[in-house]
């Protein structure tokens, strides 16, 4: 059993000044509204209602923290960022919302990496690309979850994964590591994912456990 299954809600914040003063790693989840971010968080943590998706798209505008801990040891947090992309959100709210998301991604020193949730049928929208551009200067990794893969045929899924990996591999490396060394893990990665069919859950859990530095012995505990 993954320790992610023990995730618990910790806090919600609406301003950078309210972010918890912790020193443990954080992994952020971001994506366009309706890309399946809440469903992905819930299935990865094996819980039905850990993360909530609003019935009104674009309504959830806070940063939500979920702690990953075992006994007395806190390993880190999964951080659910506001979904983006709905014009129905009022102008002033939208500006605050976008600034909160962008400032968190750029300024948060505890941030270990970004899980970019994209609908596999419509990856790399303009807003997805803007988010990547915001985040790349931090030098931290991006892992793209191509959600709703169950909606694609096998050939379509293969093609979208190949194209996504090709597009990410063309991005300039910003973490200071050599881009031509085959022994160095790529900075930008991608996988197919389906909350409905549980496609890619194990692979995504392993990536999160690595980013949160959860030891193998803890991952295997029942």
């Amino acid at each position: 059993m993954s320790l992610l299954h023990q995730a618990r809600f910790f806090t919600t914040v609406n301003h950078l000044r309210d972010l918890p003063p912790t020193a443990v790693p954080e992994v952020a989840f971001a994506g366009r509204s309706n890309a399946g971010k809440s469903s992905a968080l819930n299935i990865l943590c094996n819980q039905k209602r850990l993360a909530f998706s609003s019935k009104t798209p674009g309504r959830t505008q806070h940063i939500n923290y979920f702690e990953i801990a075992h006994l007395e040891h806190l390993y880190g947090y999964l951080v659910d960022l506001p979904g983006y992309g709905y014009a129905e959100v009022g102008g002033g709210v939208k500006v605050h919302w976008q600034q909160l998301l962008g400032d968190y991604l750029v300024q948060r020193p505890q941030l270990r990496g970004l899980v970019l949730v994209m609908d596999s049928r419509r990856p790399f929208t303009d807003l997805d690309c803007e988010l990547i551009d915001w985040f790349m200067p931090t030098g931290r990794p991006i892992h793209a979850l191509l959600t709703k893969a169950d909606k694609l045929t096998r050939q379509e899924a293969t093609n979208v994964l190949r194209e996504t990996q090709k597009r990410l591999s063309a991005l300039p490396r910003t973490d200071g590591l050599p881009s031509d060394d085959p022994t160095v893990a790529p900075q930008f990665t991608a996988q197919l994912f389906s909350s409905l069919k549980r496609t890619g859950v194990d692979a995504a859990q392993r990536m999160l456990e690595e980013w949160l530095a959860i030891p193998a012995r803890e991952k295997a505990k029942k």
Side-chain angles (χ1 to χ4, degrees):
M1 181 181 73
S2 171
L3 278 190
L4 298 175
H5 292 183
Q6 299 185 36
R8 297 182 300 178
F9 174 77
F10 177 66
T11 191
T12 185
V13 301
N14 195 32
H15 298 279
L16 288 181
R17 63 177 179 268
D18 298 326
L19 291 172
T22 61
V24 294
E26 298 175 6
V27 175
F29 280 70
R32 185 178 173 86
S33 299
N34 267 12
K37 179 164 56 68
S38 295
S39 296
L41 273 164
N42 287 336
I43 200 72
L44 288 168
C45 297
N46 198 36
Q47 300 184 41
K48 291 184 178 180
R49 295 182 63 79
L50 181 70
F52 295 91
S53 55
S54 173
K55 292 182 179 179
T56 303
R59 182 65 60 83
T60 305
Q61 297 153 15
H62 299 80
I63 294 177
N64 294 305
Y65 271 72
F66 306 103
E67 66 176 21
I68 308 299
H70 181 67
L71 299 176
E72 299 299 318
H73 187 86
L74 175 63
Y75 287 99
Y77 296 99
L78 302 182
V79 183
D80 186 11
L81 299 178
Y84 51 84
Y86 271 85
E88 289 84 351
V89 179
V93 171
K94 185 183 293 186
V95 169
H96 168 74
W97 180 11
Q98 292 176 338
Q99 184 175 359
L100 177 66
L101 187 150
D103 288 350
Y104 169 84
L105 289 174
V106 173
Q107 298 178 19
R108 188 65 169 168
Q110 297 93 323
L111 188 56
R112 176 63 183 83
L114 172 67
V115 178
L116 176 59
V117 181
M118 297 190 290
D119 188 327
S120 59
R121 299 165 297 177
R122 294 178 291 275
F124 295 107
T125 65
D126 289 345
L127 289 169
D128 294 326
C129 294
E130 183 177 346
L131 187 70
I132 292 172
D133 289 342
W134 274 344
F135 191 70
M136 278 184 58
T138 69
R140 299 184 181 101
I142 297 173
H143 185 71
L145 277 191
L146 296 169
T147 59
K148 306 183 183 184
D150 54 283
K151 305 293 186 182
L152 303 177
T153 67
R154 181 174 298 182
Q155 187 60 52
E156 287 171 339
T158 298
N159 289 342
V160 74
L161 178 60
R162 182 188 300 119
E163 288 303 311
T164 299
Q165 291 172 329
K166 181 179 179 181
R167 188 159 178 170
L168 292 175
S169 67
L171 295 175
R173 192 153 197 148
T174 58
D175 58 3
L177 297 177
S179 57
D180 56 352
D181 186 342
T183 66
V184 176
Q187 185 181 353
F188 311 114
T189 53
Q191 67 164 102
L192 294 168
F193 192 87
S194 168
S195 298
L196 181 64
K197 300 293 187 181
R198 297 187 64 89
T199 303
V201 170
D202 290 344
Q205 286 177 334
R206 286 194 297 271
M207 183 273 301
L208 291 173
E209 289 165 347
E210 179 180 341
W211 283 3
L212 294 174
I214 297 175
R217 63 180 179 276
E218 297 289 2
K219 299 176 198 175
K221 283 185 177 179
K222 302 293 183 182

PDB file of all heavy atoms in Angstrom, residues 143-156:
ATOM      1  N   HIS A 143       5.727  16.805 -14.532  1.00  0.00           N
ATOM      2  CA  HIS A 143       5.218  15.503 -14.965  1.00  0.00           C
ATOM      3  C   HIS A 143       3.799  15.706 -15.464  1.00  0.00           C
ATOM      4  O   HIS A 143       2.925  16.147 -14.712  1.00  0.00           O
ATOM      5  CB  HIS A 143       5.239  14.507 -13.808  1.00  0.00           C
ATOM      6  CG  HIS A 143       4.831  13.118 -14.219  1.00  0.00           C
ATOM      7  ND1 HIS A 143       5.635  12.318 -15.010  1.00  0.00           N
ATOM      8  CD2 HIS A 143       3.711  12.395 -13.962  1.00  0.00           C
ATOM      9  CE1 HIS A 143       5.042  11.155 -15.204  1.00  0.00           C
ATOM     10  NE2 HIS A 143       3.865  11.176 -14.591  1.00  0.00           N
ATOM     11  N   ALA A 144       3.565  15.423 -16.741  1.00  0.00           N
ATOM     12  CA  ALA A 144       2.248  15.617 -17.332  1.00  0.00           C
ATOM     13  C   ALA A 144       1.411  14.352 -17.177  1.00  0.00           C
ATOM     14  O   ALA A 144       1.821  13.274 -17.600  1.00  0.00           O
ATOM     15  CB  ALA A 144       2.380  15.973 -18.809  1.00  0.00           C
ATOM     16  N   LEU A 145       0.232  14.508 -16.563  1.00  0.00           N
ATOM     17  CA  LEU A 145      -0.750  13.424 -16.502  1.00  0.00           C
ATOM     18  C   LEU A 145      -1.753  13.652 -17.618  1.00  0.00           C
ATOM     19  O   LEU A 145      -2.503  14.641 -17.600  1.00  0.00           O
ATOM     20  CB  LEU A 145      -1.490  13.435 -15.158  1.00  0.00           C
ATOM     21  CG  LEU A 145      -0.870  12.785 -13.931  1.00  0.00           C
ATOM     22  CD1 LEU A 145      -1.921  12.710 -12.824  1.00  0.00           C
ATOM     23  CD2 LEU A 145      -0.302  11.417 -14.214  1.00  0.00           C
ATOM     24  N   LEU A 146      -1.777  12.759 -18.592  1.00  0.00           N
ATOM     25  CA  LEU A 146      -2.721  12.862 -19.703  1.00  0.00           C
ATOM     26  C   LEU A 146      -3.972  12.093 -19.309  1.00  0.00           C
ATOM     27  O   LEU A 146      -4.063  10.876 -19.488  1.00  0.00           O
ATOM     28  CB  LEU A 146      -2.090  12.305 -20.980  1.00  0.00           C
ATOM     29  CG  LEU A 146      -0.863  13.079 -21.475  1.00  0.00           C
ATOM     30  CD1 LEU A 146      -0.147  12.312 -22.577  1.00  0.00           C
ATOM     31  CD2 LEU A 146      -1.266  14.467 -21.957  1.00  0.00           C
ATOM     32  N   THR A 147      -4.928  12.804 -18.721  1.00  0.00           N
ATOM     33  CA  THR A 147      -6.094  12.177 -18.121  1.00  0.00           C
ATOM     34  C   THR A 147      -7.145  11.784 -19.157  1.00  0.00           C
ATOM     35  O   THR A 147      -7.069  12.154 -20.328  1.00  0.00           O
ATOM     36  CB  THR A 147      -6.730  13.123 -17.101  1.00  0.00           C
ATOM     37  OG1 THR A 147      -7.097  14.338 -17.769  1.00  0.00           O
ATOM     38  CG2 THR A 147      -5.760  13.448 -15.970  1.00  0.00           C
ATOM     39  N   LYS A 148      -8.126  11.009 -18.668  1.00  0.00           N
ATOM     40  CA  LYS A 148      -9.264  10.557 -19.475  1.00  0.00           C
ATOM     41  C   LYS A 148      -8.796   9.734 -20.671  1.00  0.00           C
ATOM     42  O   LYS A 148      -9.414   9.759 -21.750  1.00  0.00           O
ATOM     43  CB  LYS A 148     -10.118  11.752 -19.912  1.00  0.00           C
ATOM     44  CG  LYS A 148     -10.557  12.622 -18.728  1.00  0.00           C
ATOM     45  CD  LYS A 148     -11.457  13.757 -19.137  1.00  0.00           C
ATOM     46  CE  LYS A 148     -11.799  14.642 -17.927  1.00  0.00           C
ATOM     47  NZ  LYS A 148     -12.746  15.715 -18.241  1.00  0.00           N
ATOM     48  N   ALA A 149      -7.705   8.992 -20.458  1.00  0.00           N
ATOM     49  CA  ALA A 149      -7.163   8.170 -21.543  1.00  0.00           C
ATOM     50  C   ALA A 149      -8.131   7.067 -21.968  1.00  0.00           C
ATOM     51  O   ALA A 149      -8.012   6.536 -23.078  1.00  0.00           O
ATOM     52  CB  ALA A 149      -5.824   7.554 -21.113  1.00  0.00           C
ATOM     53  N   ASP A 150      -9.090   6.739 -21.110  1.00  0.00           N
ATOM     54  CA  ASP A 150     -10.090   5.726 -21.460  1.00  0.00           C
ATOM     55  C   ASP A 150     -11.006   6.202 -22.580  1.00  0.00           C
ATOM     56  O   ASP A 150     -11.712   5.399 -23.200  1.00  0.00           O
ATOM     57  CB  ASP A 150     -10.922   5.363 -20.227  1.00  0.00           C
ATOM     58  CG  ASP A 150     -11.541   6.582 -19.571  1.00  0.00           C
ATOM     59  OD1 ASP A 150     -10.823   7.306 -18.865  1.00  0.00           O
ATOM     60  OD2 ASP A 150     -12.749   6.820 -19.774  1.00  0.00           O
ATOM     61  N   LYS A 151     -11.013   7.509 -22.855  1.00  0.00           N
ATOM     62  CA  LYS A 151     -11.842   8.055 -23.927  1.00  0.00           C
ATOM     63  C   LYS A 151     -11.187   7.893 -25.302  1.00  0.00           C
ATOM     64  O   LYS A 151     -11.813   8.185 -26.329  1.00  0.00           O
ATOM     65  CB  LYS A 151     -12.112   9.544 -23.679  1.00  0.00           C
ATOM     66  CG  LYS A 151     -12.717   9.872 -22.333  1.00  0.00           C
ATOM     67  CD  LYS A 151     -14.111   9.340 -22.184  1.00  0.00           C
ATOM     68  CE  LYS A 151     -14.739   9.812 -20.874  1.00  0.00           C
ATOM     69  NZ  LYS A 151     -16.104   9.253 -20.675  1.00  0.00           N
ATOM     70  N   LEU A 152      -9.928   7.450 -25.318  1.00  0.00           N
ATOM     71  CA  LEU A 152      -9.183   7.325 -26.568  1.00  0.00           C
ATOM     72  C   LEU A 152      -9.067   5.862 -26.990  1.00  0.00           C
ATOM     73  O   LEU A 152      -9.097   4.958 -26.149  1.00  0.00           O
ATOM     74  CB  LEU A 152      -7.765   7.897 -26.402  1.00  0.00           C
ATOM     75  CG  LEU A 152      -7.637   9.344 -25.940  1.00  0.00           C
ATOM     76  CD1 LEU A 152      -6.160   9.693 -25.760  1.00  0.00           C
ATOM     77  CD2 LEU A 152      -8.300  10.291 -26.921  1.00  0.00           C
ATOM     78  N   THR A 153      -8.935   5.639 -28.282  1.00  0.00           N
ATOM     79  CA  THR A 153      -8.566   4.301 -28.743  1.00  0.00           C
ATOM     80  C   THR A 153      -7.110   4.040 -28.396  1.00  0.00           C
ATOM     81  O   THR A 153      -6.368   4.964 -28.038  1.00  0.00           O
ATOM     82  CB  THR A 153      -8.749   4.176 -30.262  1.00  0.00           C
ATOM     83  OG1 THR A 153      -7.783   5.037 -30.913  1.00  0.00           O
ATOM     84  CG2 THR A 153     -10.151   4.577 -30.691  1.00  0.00           C
ATOM     85  N   ARG A 154      -6.692   2.807 -28.475  1.00  0.00           N
ATOM     86  CA  ARG A 154      -5.301   2.476 -28.148  1.00  0.00           C
ATOM     87  C   ARG A 154      -4.338   3.246 -29.047  1.00  0.00           C
ATOM     88  O   ARG A 154      -3.312   3.758 -28.581  1.00  0.00           O
ATOM     89  CB  ARG A 154      -5.066   0.971 -28.302  1.00  0.00           C
ATOM     90  CG  ARG A 154      -3.657   0.539 -27.957  1.00  0.00           C
ATOM     91  CD  ARG A 154      -3.520  -0.964 -27.983  1.00  0.00           C
ATOM     92  NE  ARG A 154      -4.378  -1.599 -26.995  1.00  0.00           N
ATOM     93  CZ  ARG A 154      -4.419  -2.911 -26.778  1.00  0.00           C
ATOM     94  NH1 ARG A 154      -3.666  -3.724 -27.505  1.00  0.00           N
ATOM     95  NH2 ARG A 154      -5.216  -3.410 -25.857  1.00  0.00           N
ATOM     96  N   GLN A 155      -4.672   3.351 -30.329  1.00  0.00           N
ATOM     97  CA  GLN A 155      -3.787   4.066 -31.250  1.00  0.00           C
ATOM     98  C   GLN A 155      -3.764   5.554 -30.940  1.00  0.00           C
ATOM     99  O   GLN A 155      -2.703   6.194 -30.967  1.00  0.00           O
ATOM    100  CB  GLN A 155      -4.237   3.848 -32.699  1.00  0.00           C
ATOM    101  CG  GLN A 155      -3.276   4.430 -33.741  1.00  0.00           C
ATOM    102  CD  GLN A 155      -1.888   3.823 -33.638  1.00  0.00           C
ATOM    103  OE1 GLN A 155      -1.734   2.604 -33.630  1.00  0.00           O
ATOM    104  NE2 GLN A 155      -0.872   4.668 -33.546  1.00  0.00           N
ATOM    105  N   GLU A 156      -4.926   6.127 -30.640  1.00  0.00           N
ATOM    106  CA  GLU A 156      -4.976   7.545 -30.286  1.00  0.00           C
ATOM    107  C   GLU A 156      -4.162   7.822 -29.021  1.00  0.00           C
ATOM    108  O   GLU A 156      -3.448   8.824 -28.939  1.00  0.00           O
ATOM    109  CB  GLU A 156      -6.429   7.969 -30.058  1.00  0.00           C
ATOM    110  CG  GLU A 156      -7.246   8.075 -31.339  1.00  0.00           C
ATOM    111  CD  GLU A 156      -8.723   8.283 -31.059  1.00  0.00           C
ATOM    112  OE1 GLU A 156      -9.181   7.953 -29.932  1.00  0.00           O
ATOM    113  OE2 GLU A 156      -9.434   8.759 -31.970  1.00  0.00           O
TER     114      GLU A 156
END
